[in-house]
Amino acid sequence: GQSLEQPSEVTAVEGAIVQINCTYQTSGFYGLSWYQQHDGGAPTFLSYNALDGLEETGRFSSFLSRSDSYGYLLLQELQMKDSASYFCAVRVAGGFKTIFGAGTRLFVKA
Amino acid sequence: KAGVTQTPRYLIKTRGQQVTLSCSPISGHRSVSWYQQTPGQGLQFLFEYFSETQRNKGNFPGRFSGRQFSNSRSEMNVSTLELGDSALYLCASSPGDANTGELFFGEGSRLTVL
């Protein structure tokens, strides 16, 4: 089957760096995406890795290693507003569907 | 540019009833997908539509159905509601095949089944 595994919760201190990991089992996919969702809000797109390596967008970076079936989202200079749920997702190749991990709840403490 | 619009935002139904949820994608977007979100379960894939064709359906019973219209608006229907259908139903749109990874989500329709 196809599945993505993420830690359920992560806690970090304001100003720190946190890494949210995502391991996956899927036969083929176009790329790995990350989404942020605040309580009561819609998921919003953060980043996309089509190729192996690091993608950087401001305070957020995302990494993909297809050989290790692994990716991560790195958040730097954490702010209180970063407290939210973060989901990794893959677009299944030829499957016309995007599947999501169960999400990681990030708590940022002062 | 208006975002993805979902209606209704909140609704309460009783077991056995049916419900229809609506999704208007971003103008120009031809792909619409639906997801069910429950606490701790992430987003479970329901359907994906492109140019009025259902291209894939997730592992949900036949009580869950959907369609897409020529203007790309989409509806999903759940018949014979069960308590376990209580969830946030999210719709997402993308310009084409969504293979670039970016989906644009609506705020969702929160369904409560009593």
Side-chain angles (χ1 to χ4, degrees), chain A residues 33 35 37 42 48 91 95-96, chain B residues 37 48 56 97 99-101 103:
Chain A
S33 303
Y35 289 81
Q37 185 180 32
Y48 176 70
R91 178 69 176 171
F96 301 116
Chain B
Q37 186 175 28
E48 178 170 310
N56 204 346
D97 278 349
N99 293 338
T100 59
L103 298 174

Side-chain angles (χ1 to χ4, degrees), chain A residues 30-31 33 35 37 40-45 47-48 87 91-92 95-103, chain B residues 9 35 37 40-43 45 48 55-56 88 90 97-107 110:
Chain A
Y30 292 110
S33 303
Y35 289 81
Q37 185 180 32
T44 56
F45 173 80
S47 68
Y48 176 70
F87 297 89
R91 178 69 176 171
V92 176
F96 301 116
K97 67 177 179 179
T98 301
I99 58 174
F100 286 77
Chain B
R9 289 291 315 280
Y35 301 84
Q37 186 175 28
Q41 294 298 313
L43 284 72
F45 172 78
E48 178 170 310
R55 299 200 292 188
N56 204 346
L88 179 67
L90 291 162
D97 278 349
N99 293 338
T100 59
E102 185 169 6
L103 298 174
F104 297 82
F105 283 88
E107 297 284 340
R110 184 167 295 281

Side-chain angles (χ1 to χ4, degrees), chain A residues 74-87:
Chain A
L74 192 73
L75 295 84
Q76 303 180 49
E77 301 173 14
L78 280 174
Q79 302 175 10
M80 299 298 290
K81 68 178 182 180
D82 297 329
S83 293
S85 294
Y86 293 84
F87 297 89

